[in-house]
Amino acid sequence: MKKVYFIAFFLFSILTTIIAQEKGTIIYGTDNCIESYTYAEQFLNFNLENNKLQICGKILANCCGTHEHEYEIYEDSIFLNRKDYESLCDCYCLYAIDIILDNCNSEFYKIKLSDYPTNSGLDTIIYKSQINKTETILQNKNIICYPNPAKEYTIIEIPETITAPYDLILYDNSGKMVRNTNNLKNTKLRLNREALPNGFYFFKITGSNSYISGKIVFY
């Protein structure tokens, strides 16, 4: 009987750690778009003060219909998901947003904005009392990387949104950093395998205010 109680308590503990502390929906973009899409830059600015997270900036949405952010707040993570619905059309533009989430009591939050058609989301960390942390959202989520899988090297094409000089960090499948290279300038980056064993690797290339990330397989 004690074993049954232990298993039940164990399962309850797991469930309480993965269930969101708070979730909801915020409508935004009710006004007319502020800027046509074309090559305009999207960005989000984060402020975490007094147990409140403010998210403001310019973000892409359909020119028509209603736009909303679904959010889920966990112990140290926040997930955001953009949605458009009702009478959508074939054009996109930028909307100003200003969202405030209460009850953000953690010392830091990992913030994940999901991908959206034609562009990536973002993945960042903000710490308590940190203000004016700005992240640029890339227009094109298709990272050009070839050959992939690769045997000896791969070429990563650096988009215009990444300004030189930029930095490269490479992680193995366990999350361990295996390479860190700074002050790179080439628009086509050759990543040599060197002594890396077979397996999956994840790269992050960071410019002054934006980044790209992707996956490479060496065999």
Side-chain angles (χ1 to χ4, degrees):
M1 192 59 132
K2 290 183 178 180
K3 184 180 291 186
V4 174
Y5 283 136
F6 175 79
I7 294 173
F9 176 79
F10 178 75
L11 292 174
F12 174 79
S13 299
I14 293 176
L15 288 173
T16 53
T17 58
I18 63 175
I19 293 175
Q21 296 175 355
E22 182 181 336
K23 59 175 61 178
T25 299
I26 297 174
I27 303 295
Y28 72 97
T30 54
D31 300 326
N32 293 332
C33 61
I34 60 173
E35 196 171 342
S36 61
Y37 174 43
T38 57
Y39 295 103
E41 180 184 83
Q42 299 181 80
F43 72 91
L44 291 179
N45 182 271
F46 300 93
N47 297 299
L48 182 57
E49 286 189 302
N50 301 320
N51 300 328
K52 292 184 178 182
L53 174 65
Q54 181 187 32
I55 306 171
C56 55
K58 297 190 299 186
I59 201 165
L60 181 69
N62 196 274
C63 294
C64 310
T66 302
H67 320 296
E68 68 181 23
H69 270 290
E70 293 180 336
Y71 68 91
E72 295 184 358
I73 302 175
Y74 294 81
E75 183 178 354
D76 60 1
S77 303
I78 297 176
F79 294 90
L80 300 169
N81 183 39
R82 291 172 279 180
K83 283 192 173 181
D84 299 333
Y85 58 94
E86 294 180 353
S87 304
L88 302 182
C89 49
D90 294 329
C91 70
Y92 292 86
C93 61
L94 294 178
Y95 289 84
I97 66 167
D98 192 349
I99 296 171
I100 295 179
L101 300 179
D102 295 315
N103 303 317
C104 296
N105 305 315
S106 177
E107 292 296 316
F108 71 94
Y109 283 99
K110 293 174 283 188
I111 301 174
K112 172 70 175 177
L113 174 68
S114 61
D115 287 352
Y116 187 79
T118 76
N119 66 101
S120 295
L122 59 83
D123 198 343
T124 189
I125 296 179
I126 185 166
Y127 294 90
K128 193 171 184 178
S129 299
Q130 185 175 8
I131 60 174
N132 294 327
K133 176 180 175 62
T134 301
E135 294 280 358
T136 298
I137 302 173
L138 297 181
Q139 302 291 336
N140 186 356
K141 66 180 180 182
N142 296 315
I143 305 300
I144 300 175
C145 178
Y146 56 88
N148 190 17
K151 190 171 182 64
E152 297 179 357
Y153 70 91
T154 189
I155 302 293
I156 304 171
E157 294 193 5
I158 309 300
E160 294 180 356
T161 46
I162 300 293
T163 54
Y166 56 86
D167 302 328
L168 165 73
I169 301 179
L170 189 66
Y171 303 90
D172 65 16
N173 200 33
S174 69
K176 177 184 176 181
M177 185 175 67
V178 295
R179 194 171 299 176
N180 187 359
T181 309
N182 306 114
N183 297 318
L184 299 168
K185 298 180 180 179
N186 294 337
T187 56
K188 291 187 178 181
L189 172 64
R190 177 175 172 131
L191 179 60
N192 293 315
R193 177 178 182 172
E194 297 177 356
L196 294 174
N198 293 348
F200 290 93
Y201 294 87
F202 302 90
F203 65 84
K204 182 175 183 179
I205 295 173
T206 305
S208 59
N209 66 345
S210 61
Y211 70 90
I212 59 173
S213 59
K215 180 171 67 175
I216 302 168
V217 180
F218 284 123
Y219 67 93

